[in-house]
Amino acid sequence: MKPAKAALTGLIALVTALAAGHLVAAFVGLSASPYLAVGNAAIDLTPSWLKDFAITTFGTADKLVLLICMGVVLVGIGIGAGLASRNGPAPGTLVAVLLGFVGVAAVVTRPDVGQLAVLAPVASTAAGVYAFRYLHREAEESESRRGFLITGGLAVFAGVAGQLFGSRTDVEGSRQAVGDLTPKVRAPEIPLNADFVKDGTPSFITSSKDFYRIDTALSVPRIRAEEWALRVHGMVERPMVLTFEEIRSRDLVEETVTLTCVSNEVGGPYISTANFVGVRIGDVLREAGVKAGADQLFSTSDDGFTAGSPLDYVLENGLIAIGMNGEPLPAEHGFPARLVVPGLYGYVSATKWVTDLNVTTFAKDQGYWIPRGWATRAPIKVSSRIDRPARMGRVQGRVVIAGTAWAQPKGVAKVEVRVDGGPWREAELGADVSDTTWRMWRVELDLGKGSHAVECRATDKSGFTQDQARLDPVPDGATGWHSVTFTVD
């Protein structure tokens, strides 16, 4: 067999296998698609340092980069299997079976799929083996490309059909059907002087589309509110299951909350603020009746992610949120419901697509990130960053330095700035909206022409000033003073 035909045989067989698995997964759970299941398994098995590198380097595109890299590797395997099978189909058949075993292993270890999910990688394996052997025989017996075209066409059709069927859950229709969410207790209005957008800070309220997103889901869970339920159990007197309507019918409260990702480097972008609507976690847990000895609220997402929050803290803080910025939660931010806990980094509190609340102990259960080297308890650290001038930017005339500080849940008391290692100067602060939100700041300076370096530091309302020592995010959040070098023309 000619090398070109051999390579094409392996490549089309690979595409056929993936497409068949994706099509079957559309009916047994899209997470069972071998491509996605292996990707999710890769995320789970990736060491923390590599995940941190991916987030720092690629930001919210880290999962797209993973899928592209997987695709490149699989294309290489498919072509290699074809080339190795020029004298017979056995090597390619073996590769197809081995890939099938990898797919099966990835699916059966996923916590977010049912027993029937294994049908997807099984179908993928069968389709891959059949397609490879069929195309190999066609290539040896005929110079016609008809078999390749038919098989390739069927593979494309199956893949597209799988994506269409897998996306058929009308999440957006369910969101629209929720209608208005009217809180009994509204958050205070945001004062006009809460931010300094004209000077370079973010707007005080982050739009839902711009709100940062860091999670472990390769594909966004698609859940209709009508089919969703939240189980509350564990060390409680009265276990309960709450539907979306039962939560909605309670006294809803609205709170303005800043959420922060522990992966943020010093001066990093993974922080946003929104108005969230929901019911207080503490009200639900007290209704269930927490038993003595419990110290952890262990939350589980529909996609299998887990987080452990200090029970005493969430009894007094946080929401089971169903709304964000005046509308039901967007699908990518947790619709139908998520947890929002001010003052704790997201990896121990901000579970999206939440379906299970287990009142337990830290000794018994560990959240997703804890065995991966992150701290069990993760209060947000006092931090600040410079938003303008930009790093290595150029400024003309009088210099305006502006930025953002946060210290949830204690609140920001002051921000100080110094230039070129000189004396600290206190910055003007934006309005103090609440202790659970960020605070904007600005300062105007007369500086001579040339290069300058500016640093900032924040102090919370207890009098604690953020640490100068530069530490990486692992294991419980970065520390250090943010600095920017710029030039005055």
Side-chain angles (χ1 to χ4, degrees):
M1 187 191 306
K2 294 181 178 179
K5 273 197 171 182
L8 190 60
T9 296
L11 185 59
I12 293 180
L14 171 72
V15 173
T16 301
L18 293 176
H22 201 62
L23 178 59
V24 174
F27 299 95
V28 298
L30 201 56
S31 294
S33 173
Y35 194 55
L36 295 178
V38 171
N40 282 318
I43 290 175
D44 291 346
L45 295 173
T46 298
S48 295
W49 66 266
L50 185 54
K51 289 185 181 181
D52 299 336
F53 170 80
I55 292 173
T56 301
T57 306
F58 304 111
T60 55
D62 59 335
K63 298 177 186 64
L64 176 61
V65 172
L66 170 64
L67 290 175
I68 292 173
C69 291
M70 285 177 54
V72 171
V73 171
L74 286 173
V75 166
I77 291 175
I79 292 175
L83 292 174
S85 304
R86 292 178 63 189
N87 297 321
T93 302
L94 177 61
V95 170
V97 172
L98 290 176
L99 288 176
F101 277 127
V102 172
V104 169
V107 168
V108 298
T109 56
R110 291 297 302 164
D112 56 332
V113 295
Q115 294 181 344
L116 291 178
V118 73
L119 294 177
V122 168
S124 181
T125 306
V129 170
Y130 177 81
F132 185 83
R133 297 185 73 86
Y134 166 73
L135 292 174
H136 195 278
R137 185 172 64 251
E138 283 284 303
E140 287 186 327
E141 295 178 356
S142 171
E143 290 298 318
S144 171
R145 300 175 180 174
R146 182 170 176 270
F148 288 89
L149 292 174
I150 292 175
T151 305
L154 288 174
V156 171
F157 174 79
V160 172
Q163 186 61 34
L164 291 175
F165 280 114
S167 303
R168 68 190 185 280
T169 302
D170 188 9
V171 175
E172 192 55 37
S174 181
R175 287 185 70 243
Q176 295 298 324
V178 170
D180 293 333
L181 295 171
T182 305
K184 183 176 181 180
V185 178
R186 289 191 175 276
E189 291 291 329
I190 306 299
L192 294 178
N193 62 340
D195 57 41
F196 300 113
V197 173
K198 63 181 178 62
D199 293 320
T201 72
S203 59
F204 193 86
I205 296 294
T206 312
S207 67
S208 298
K209 67 180 179 62
D210 293 328
F211 204 98
Y212 83 89
R213 179 192 164 200
I214 297 291
D215 51 54
T216 62
L218 266 182
S219 58
V220 175
R222 302 181 61 81
I223 313 167
R224 288 172 53 82
E226 298 86 343
E227 299 163 357
W228 174 87
L230 177 65
R231 182 186 178 207
V232 182
H233 64 108
M235 298 174 68
V236 296
E237 300 289 348
R238 296 169 292 279
M240 62 177 73
V241 175
L242 298 172
T243 66
F244 187 87
E245 281 304 315
E246 286 172 334
I247 286 182
R248 180 183 180 162
S249 64
R250 291 169 174 251
D251 290 340
L252 298 179
V253 298
E254 181 182 50
E255 294 183 358
T256 306
V257 178
T258 295
L259 297 183
T260 310
C261 180
V262 74
S263 297
N264 241 359
E265 300 282 349
V266 173
Y270 304 127
I271 177 170
S272 302
T273 300
N275 286 321
F276 291 98
V277 172
V279 297
R280 291 194 172 92
I281 298 173
D283 291 346
V284 172
L285 296 182
R286 279 185 278 269
E287 183 178 325
V290 176
K291 293 183 179 179
D295 62 7
Q296 178 182 207
L297 180 65
F298 192 78
S299 53
T300 302
S301 167
D302 179 78
D303 71 348
F305 172 81
T306 57
S309 309
L311 183 61
D312 56 349
Y313 188 84
V314 296
L315 280 169
E316 304 304 325
N317 303 275
L319 300 175
I320 301 169
I322 59 175
M324 178 179 182
N325 289 341
E327 61 179 13
L329 289 169
E332 63 271 19
H333 289 296
F335 182 80
R338 65 169 296 167
L339 300 189
V340 173
V341 183
L344 297 178
Y345 285 119
Y347 81 97
V348 297
S349 66
T351 303
K352 291 180 279 193
W353 313 290
V354 63
T355 58
D356 190 280
L357 296 179
N358 178 20
V359 178
T360 180
T361 65
F362 283 106
K364 182 178 180 182
D365 296 293
Q366 288 188 323
Y368 178 90
W369 285 106
I370 309 310
R372 293 166 171 83
W374 293 83
T376 301
R377 299 170 186 265
I380 291 173
K381 295 180 177 179
V382 183
S383 301
S384 59
R385 76 173 183 217
I386 300 163
D387 294 314
R388 185 181 291 179
R391 181 174 176 270
M392 306 306 293
R394 306 190 77 88
V395 180
Q396 293 182 338
R398 189 170 175 80
V399 178
V400 177
I401 300 170
T404 310
W406 55 95
Q408 312 99 296
K410 294 180 180 179
V412 174
K414 70 177 179 179
V415 174
E416 297 168 290
V417 171
R418 72 175 178 182
V419 179
D420 300 330
W424 288 101
R425 172 170 174 169
E426 194 164 335
E428 173 191 352
L429 295 178
D432 190 5
V433 175
S434 81
D435 293 343
T436 62
T437 60
W438 56 12
R439 199 165 184 188
M440 311 307 182
W441 56 269
R442 69 185 293 278
V443 62
E444 292 189 38
L445 300 172
D446 287 314
L447 299 176
K449 292 184 179 181
S451 178
H452 298 279
V454 61
E455 297 171 284
C456 65
R457 66 182 186 186
T459 300
D460 68 22
K461 292 181 179 179
S462 74
F464 178 82
T465 299
Q466 71 179 93
D467 292 326
Q468 179 182 10
R470 200 70 173 249
L471 297 177
D472 291 334
V474 181
D476 59 356
T479 65
W481 297 341
H482 189 214
S483 62
V484 168
T485 300
F486 62 97
T487 300
V488 177
D489 293 330

